């Protein structure tokens, strides 16, 4: 029960990261749903021949489970590790993307502040030059 709750919490945390990429969300969802192998799974048939085939599959599975079990366990462990690794990589990618966006916005704000301070300095210089021009014009009028 606890594992199911943890699994649902992981999926809900993953969902928020997939808002921009539904293809990735769909494939990770499939990986989560289908990573475990069912050694007893058989293809159900219809009709008499299909039912006979289904019974034959079940008989073969039951007779060979001891032989195939180690391979199934190994494959299942690998699939579980692959799904957990994908989740970890997606989590890291999500955090890195957020960090890059934060750094980009911070850099943009700093650049904006820098440009604004340069514009203010130019405005102040322009006002000082206009005042100096006005003073020089007034001086010329007095001399003439």
């Amino acid at each position: 029960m606890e594992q199911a709750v943890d699994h649902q919490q992981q999926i809900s945390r993953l969902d928020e990261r997939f808002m921009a990429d539904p293809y990735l969300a769909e494939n990770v969802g499939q990986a989560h749903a289908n990573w475990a192998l069912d050694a007893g799974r058989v293809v159900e048939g219809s009709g008499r021949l299909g039912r006979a085939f289904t019974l034959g599959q079940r008989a073969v599975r039951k007779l060979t489970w001891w032989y195939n079990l180690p391979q199934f366990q190994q494959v299942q462990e690998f699939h579980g590790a692959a799904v957990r690794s994908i989740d970890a990589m997606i989590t890291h990618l999500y955090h890195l993307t957020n960090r890059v966006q934060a750094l980009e916005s911070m850099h943009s704000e700093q650049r904006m502040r820098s440009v604004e301070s340069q514009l203010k300095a130019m405005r102040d210089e322009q006002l000082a030059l206009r005042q100096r021009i006005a003073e020089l014009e007034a001086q010329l009028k007095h001399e003439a």
Side-chain angles (χ1 to χ4, degrees):
M1 184 71 131
E2 191 174 318
Q3 286 178 337
V5 170
D6 288 341
H7 180 68
Q8 278 307 111
Q9 288 175 345
Q10 286 176 347
I11 289 175
S12 66
R13 277 184 268 139
L14 288 174
D15 288 344
E16 68 190 35
R17 291 174 267 176
F18 297 132
M19 293 302 194
D21 195 348
Y23 177 75
L24 180 61
E26 179 183 343
N27 284 301
V28 170
Q30 286 180 358
H32 276 275
N34 299 318
W35 70 269
L37 297 176
D38 182 7
R41 185 174 179 185
V42 295
V43 177
E44 296 291 332
S46 60
R48 285 184 176 181
L49 185 59
R51 278 180 279 194
F53 185 71
T54 300
L55 288 173
Q57 277 187 349
R58 286 192 177 138
V60 168
R61 295 266 190 242
K62 286 183 181 188
L63 291 173
T64 61
W65 73 268
W66 57 270
Y67 178 74
N68 291 327
L69 187 62
Q71 291 87 358
F72 279 125
Q73 286 175 334
Q74 183 181 10
V75 170
Q76 193 160 341
E77 287 172 10
F78 174 80
H79 287 176
V83 169
R84 289 187 300 274
S85 297
I86 289 169
D87 287 347
M89 287 187 280
I90 290 171
T91 300
H92 289 299
L93 179 62
Y94 177 72
H95 291 301
L96 287 173
T97 302
N98 286 343
R99 179 74 177 137
V100 166
Q101 289 173 349
L103 289 173
E104 285 175 345
S105 68
M106 213 169 59
H107 181 67
S108 296
E109 287 176 24
Q110 288 175 347
R111 286 187 69 191
M112 182 77 90
R113 287 185 189 134
S114 173
V115 168
E116 285 175 350
S117 66
Q118 289 173 0
L119 285 173
K120 185 181 181 313
M122 287 183 191
R123 238 182 264 124
D124 293 343
E125 185 179 350
Q126 183 183 26
L127 286 173
L129 288 172
R130 284 185 179 171
Q131 287 175 349
R132 179 69 179 143
I133 291 171
E135 289 172 4
L136 290 173
E137 285 176 347
Q139 224 176 20
L140 278 174
K141 283 183 184 177
H142 285 312
E143 290 177 9

